[in-house]
């Protein structure tokens, strides 16, 4: 399920471009449509550049400066990263958010500071609000926390920090995606084939998992 964050940024970029270049964002004319599309591509390109920069930071914090440079270089020549930076899609932003989560996870592992836990929560919430399967990146935070506690499950669970991370993630997600809370059924179970929740529910019923009366 796609979240609204990229569309927020797309709208903002297109409207700023409209003021600067004198076109109507998302207008009906050919010029308006083409320039609006170009503004989305510029946004994706900027996100791609920022992702490369943060990948360097991640590699540097995880290992050393050489690792950071190598990681940034490899990302910059990865075909999917180049493609994501070329089109106005959510994938580049999802990657950027994932790298940010990685940086905060490294900070949790190395320092254990409360600030790192809170920012990790914000980063996870932003990732989910970009694309819901971004929730999976929260496993990086969980692993860092477990390693910080030397894989002692009880000690890790009784620590309040990861629960604060989860709270920040949830609040960030709801703030950016209010429909997920206030129109839960419409948001998660809208009837179209691209909605995985709807497809699963239809298959669940049609394949006889639910007993018919």
């Amino acid at each position: 399920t796609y979240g609204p964050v990229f569309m927020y940024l797309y709208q903002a970029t297109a409207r700023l471009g409209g003021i600067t270049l004198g076109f109507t964002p998302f207008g009906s004319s050919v010029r308006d449509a083409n320039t609006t599309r170009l503004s989305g591509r510029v946004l994706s390109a900027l996100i791609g550049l920022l992702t490369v920069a943060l990948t360097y930071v991640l590699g540097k914090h995880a290992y050393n400066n050489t690792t950071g440079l190598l990681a940034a270089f490899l990302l910059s020549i990865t075909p999917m990263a180049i493609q994501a930076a070329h089109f106005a899609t959510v994938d580049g932003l999802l990657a950027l958010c994932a790298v940010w989560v990685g940086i905060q996870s490294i900070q949790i592992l190395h320092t254990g500071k409360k600030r790192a836990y809170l920012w990790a929560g914000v980063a996870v919430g932003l990732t989910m609000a970009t694309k819901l399967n971004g929730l999976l990146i929260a496993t990086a935070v969980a692993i860092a926390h477990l390693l910080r506690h030397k894989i002692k499950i009880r000690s890790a669970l009784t620590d309040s920090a990861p629960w604060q991370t989860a709270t920040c993630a949830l609040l960030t997600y709801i703030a950016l995606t209010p429909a997920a809370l206030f129109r839960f059924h419409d948001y998660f179970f809208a009837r179209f084939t691209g909605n995985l929740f709807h497809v699963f529910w239809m298959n669940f019923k049609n394949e006889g998992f639910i007993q018919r009366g």
Side-chain angles (χ1 to χ4, degrees):
T1 300
Y2 292 93
V5 175
F6 184 80
M7 290 308 301
Y8 295 156
L9 296 176
Y10 193 176
Q11 282 276 354
T13 304
R15 294 189 183 283
L16 179 61
I19 295 172
T20 305
L21 301 176
F23 68 93
T24 301
F26 305 96
S28 58
S29 72
V30 173
R31 178 177 181 271
D32 290 340
N34 287 340
T35 315
T36 298
R37 189 179 302 113
L38 180 61
S39 67
R41 291 187 169 190
V42 169
L43 172 62
S44 289
L46 292 175
I47 288 172
L49 289 173
L50 184 56
T51 305
V52 170
L54 287 187
T55 298
Y56 162 74
V57 174
L58 175 59
K60 181 180 178 181
H61 286 179
Y63 293 100
N64 51 47
N65 187 64
T66 302
T67 302
L69 289 173
L70 179 60
F73 170 72
L74 291 175
L75 178 63
S76 69
I77 62 172
T78 301
M80 286 302 296
I82 296 171
Q83 178 176 305
H86 181 68
F87 296 109
T89 65
V90 304
D91 301 302
L93 182 59
L94 183 66
L96 174 63
C97 294
V99 173
W100 187 26
V101 173
I103 291 173
Q104 297 307 320
S105 299
I106 292 297
Q107 290 298 312
I108 288 172
L109 177 61
H110 289 173
T111 69
K113 290 183 178 179
K114 182 178 180 180
R115 180 177 61 185
Y117 281 96
L118 296 179
W119 279 117
V122 173
V124 169
L126 180 61
T127 307
M128 292 169 56
T130 299
K131 199 173 181 181
L132 192 56
N133 61 6
L135 174 61
L136 296 174
I137 197 62
T139 55
V141 181
I143 291 170
H145 179 67
L146 281 173
L147 292 175
R148 182 74 185 171
H149 283 265
K150 303 186 186 302
I151 320 183
K152 295 178 180 178
I153 304 297
R154 177 172 294 183
S155 174
L157 290 177
T158 54
D159 187 347
S160 64
W163 304 109
Q164 293 171 358
T165 299
T167 301
C168 282
L170 182 60
L171 291 177
T172 302
Y173 176 70
I174 290 175
L176 293 172
T177 318
L181 176 64
F182 298 109
R183 300 188 64 177
F184 181 86
H185 190 272
D186 291 339
Y187 186 79
F188 287 106
F189 296 97
R191 298 193 175 201
F192 67 95
T193 55
N195 188 326
L196 294 180
F197 293 101
H198 174 66
V199 172
F200 174 78
W201 181 246
M202 290 297 98
N203 289 334
F204 191 73
K205 291 195 300 183
N206 294 337
E207 293 298 326
F209 292 106
I210 297 179
Q211 185 175 0
R212 295 174 175 81

